Amino acid sequence: MLRFPLALALVALAIPAHAQVVTDQTGTAAKNEIITAPLPQDQAAMKAHVMFLATDAMQGREAGSHEYDIAAQYVASQFYAAGLRPAGDNGGYLQRVPLTTFKLADHGSFTLTGPDGAQVPLLFGEDYVPSANAAKATTDLSAPLVFVGFGIDAPGEGHDDYAGVDVTGKIVVFLNGVPEDLHSEIRATLGRASSKAEMAARRGAIGAIVIDNPTGGRSWPFSALAANWQRAATTWVDGEGNGHSPSAAAPMLATISRESAAKLFAGAPTSWEDIAAKAGDTSTKFKPFPLATSLHAIVNTEREDFVSYNVGGLIPGSDPDLASEVVVLTAHLDHVGVGRADASGDTIYNGAMDNAVGIASLIEEAKRFQESGKPPRRSVLFLAVTAEEKGLVGSDYFANNPTLPGHRLVADVNLDMPILTYAFEDIIAFGADRSTLGPIVRKAAEDAGVGYSPDPMPEQSLFVRSDHYRFVQQGIPSVFVWPGYAGNGEAGTNGFFADHYHKPSDEVGQSPAIDWEAGVRFINVNYQIAREIADADQTPVWNKGDYFGTLYEGPMAD
């Protein structure tokens, strides 16, 4: 744990040097007593992984760091010890993940051409804030503008903001926000500006602009975007050396301030004032229409490339008819590194619960399979992914670039930050009720002696916020398993988020302590879930008509 230099601390506290040394020694001894307390063998095995991965020496395991690479090698060695076959690149356990951090190089240039042909330069920070484009160093587009309401293309859900308008070769303009009548997980998916740009690309648009709207939910307000205009993001790099962008065909170009939006609507059949009066109600269904203005946008993006690693180990399936099908078990290995100091001066974000516990569970589950003496019918892939904290990037890279030729990924079970500060009585499996994985999870929980509960916090849309979602986007039925809210669960979960989530205090030896007995039970439950999926007669499919199964063209029940 990093602290202020001793001399500075002594001046600040105004106490004798020898007293400070005694205090530090006493505190360290007390912490070590907690860390090294004897445990039963199965609990100690789980704890040992977390002790290594979440130690201060690992410096928070930020993707791309030397310390992360050490953590990846540690996981590879544990997969080897558990008897897993290498499932990375070139016969090894590591999959090289080419990454890039990208941000705006400058303010760019945005010029409107009005209905009278006059050109109107827009002002950075007042009229617009550009959006960096990972796919191109320079984005240079000129096209007419088309207003498409909230930019939602989901006719099956009762929202088609493109009805009756052709946006081919155009730049679409939409409002921030998403209709409240949609399911929370669908709202979270469709409400992102990047998702709206993808929808625009499918309709033939070549670019997209969003208008700042106070009802926009989690999006940053315009003033914050302007103040943080060079905020960096991370994505993976494709085989052509381009930063991956799902909306590359119609990139997000900029956010336009609410006060300046009227400039875009000059000469339009409906004025901005009329639109703005209704924009606060996301249930409004605007009729799309071409604007009388066009835009010339230039956006310059700078990149810094680096490399990190996913770690994969495989148990081959034993059934000749099913061995080519792969059940994937994922957990992210990275955390957020070193950052702002807390009240004690600690700057290392150790990430014990988030997600060293998930990685420890992954390793110990692999041992359960091997110790059972019964190989699974389907192959099972244990995958520790990088750059989750940077936007689910490592899992997205693997889902798009799997390392198992001749195999087909059929399900993913994700382990991300199981909060194990209490003796859980039930489990939650986000997304289970969307596919035939639901009954399997319920049965596995019952066999393991714990209850199964519905999502107690649907407003958080956790189904679309962790690594399993990158497999969902490839059409693969997936679940994200967590200890539930029964008993002390809700208090334990809320307490962790309030006091330890993404803070230096998420480390072994802090209070509340990790309940290692609960940890072993969590491993057993997840092993049972994975075993049931791997040995089932039927391959998992989406429930008939499920939104995500339909959207991503996955296998569907009849």
Side-chain angles (χ1 to χ4, degrees), residues 317-361:
S318 60
D319 187 322
D321 295 327
L322 299 177
S324 63
E325 297 184 356
V326 180
V327 178
V328 187
L329 308 182
T330 48
H332 74 89
L333 178 57
D334 67 306
H335 196 49
V336 296
V338 177
R340 182 181 300 174
D342 65 7
S344 72
D346 190 355
T347 60
I348 299 174
Y349 290 64
N350 303 74
M353 205 84 75
D354 186 15
N355 184 38
V357 162
I359 293 292
S361 301

Side-chain angles (χ1 to χ4, degrees), residues 145-453:
L145 300 175
V146 180
F147 176 66
V148 291
F150 289 102
I152 304 298
D153 181 15
E157 302 299 315
H159 293 276
D160 184 1
D161 290 342
Y162 288 82
V165 68
D166 182 6
V167 299
T168 303
K170 309 293 178 31
I171 295 172
V172 299
V173 178
F174 53 74
L175 296 162
N176 198 13
V178 64
E180 293 294 324
D181 64 335
L182 296 171
H183 186 282
S184 61
E185 293 167 356
I186 299 176
R187 286 204 312 273
T189 299
L190 297 181
R192 302 185 184 108
S194 58
S195 296
K196 294 183 180 184
E198 287 183 65
M199 289 183 266
R202 289 197 295 268
R203 290 284 189 153
I206 62 170
I209 284 175
V210 59
I211 298 174
D212 181 45
N213 190 19
T215 64
R218 294 174 179 160
S219 297
W220 287 27
F222 185 83
S223 59
L225 288 174
N228 296 275
W229 67 277
Q230 277 199 307
R231 186 169 182 258
T234 300
T235 188
W236 52 272
V237 178
D238 65 22
E240 303 299 319
N242 301 314
H244 174 68
S245 173
S247 61
M252 281 301 308
L253 298 172
T255 300
I256 301 295
S257 71
R258 190 177 178 87
E259 292 74 19
S260 301
K263 297 178 182 180
L264 276 61
F265 285 76
T270 303
S271 71
W272 166 245
E273 288 73 18
D274 289 342
I275 298 293
K278 302 174 182 177
D281 182 1
T282 56
S283 67
T284 303
K285 293 188 177 181
F286 293 100
K287 183 177 180 180
F289 54 87
L291 299 177
T293 53
S294 60
L295 177 70
H296 181 202
I298 300 175
V299 178
N300 297 309
T301 301
E302 60 185 30
R303 284 176 34 184
E304 183 175 348
D305 295 350
F306 62 105
V307 172
S308 192
Y309 299 91
N310 293 329
V311 190
L314 184 74
I315 299 177
S318 60
D319 187 322
D321 295 327
L322 299 177
S324 63
E325 297 184 356
V326 180
V327 178
V328 187
L329 308 182
T330 48
H332 74 89
L333 178 57
D334 67 306
H335 196 49
V336 296
V338 177
R340 182 181 300 174
D342 65 7
S344 72
D346 190 355
T347 60
I348 299 174
Y349 290 64
N350 303 74
M353 205 84 75
D354 186 15
N355 184 38
V357 162
I359 293 292
S361 301
L362 196 68
I363 295 168
E364 293 303 307
E365 277 187 56
K367 293 180 182 179
R368 297 288 193 280
F369 271 97
Q370 302 292 41
E371 291 164 356
S372 72
K374 177 188 175 185
R377 296 177 67 193
R378 289 180 178 82
S379 297
V380 180
L381 174 67
F382 298 82
L383 185 65
V385 296
T386 188
E388 186 272 351
E389 300 287 3
K390 298 182 183 296
L392 318 183
V393 183
S395 54
D396 193 37
Y397 184 79
F398 182 88
N400 282 274
N401 302 275
T403 56
L404 299 170
H407 290 74
R408 179 166 65 95
L409 310 182
V410 298
D412 177 69
V413 180
N414 189 44
L415 311 175
D416 184 1
M417 200 179 72
I419 297 170
L420 298 171
T421 58
Y422 59 96
F424 67 92
E425 301 173 11
D426 63 336
I427 63 163
I428 306 161
F430 303 104
D433 293 335
R434 293 190 171 278
S435 72
T436 55
L437 294 177
I440 292 175
V441 172
R442 288 190 184 88
K443 181 180 184 302
E446 181 181 333
D447 291 346
V450 298
Y452 173 83
S453 298

Side-chain angles (χ1 to χ4, degrees), residues 20-153:
Q20 178 66 21
V21 171
V22 169
T23 301
D24 285 347
Q25 291 175 344
T26 302
T28 300
K31 185 175 180 180
N32 283 340
E33 184 176 0
I34 295 172
I35 293 172
T36 61
L39 288 171
Q41 185 175 354
D42 53 356
Q43 297 178 38
M46 181 185 191
K47 184 177 181 180
H49 303 308
V50 180
M51 286 171 62
F52 182 89
L53 294 172
T55 182
D56 281 0
M58 299 308 295
Q59 295 286 293
R61 306 187 309 279
E62 184 171 14
S65 69
H66 174 65
E67 292 78 14
Y68 176 89
D69 292 349
I70 294 172
Q73 293 289 352
Y74 175 83
V75 174
S77 72
Q78 294 299 314
F79 283 176
Y80 173 77
L84 304 187
R85 293 188 183 179
D89 298 330
N90 304 314
Y93 290 96
L94 302 185
Q95 179 191 33
R96 184 179 185 274
V97 181
L99 299 171
T100 189
T101 295
F102 63 99
K103 62 182 180 180
L104 290 165
D106 53 39
H107 293 169
S109 172
F110 283 68
T111 304
L112 278 177
T113 299
D116 58 357
Q119 294 191 337
V120 181
L122 300 183
L123 300 177
F124 168 84
E126 181 178 322
D127 297 325
Y128 75 95
V129 176
S131 300
N133 181 5
K136 285 187 177 181
T138 297
T139 304
D140 189 338
L141 294 176
S142 293
L145 300 175
V146 180
F147 176 66
V148 291
F150 289 102
I152 304 298
D153 181 15

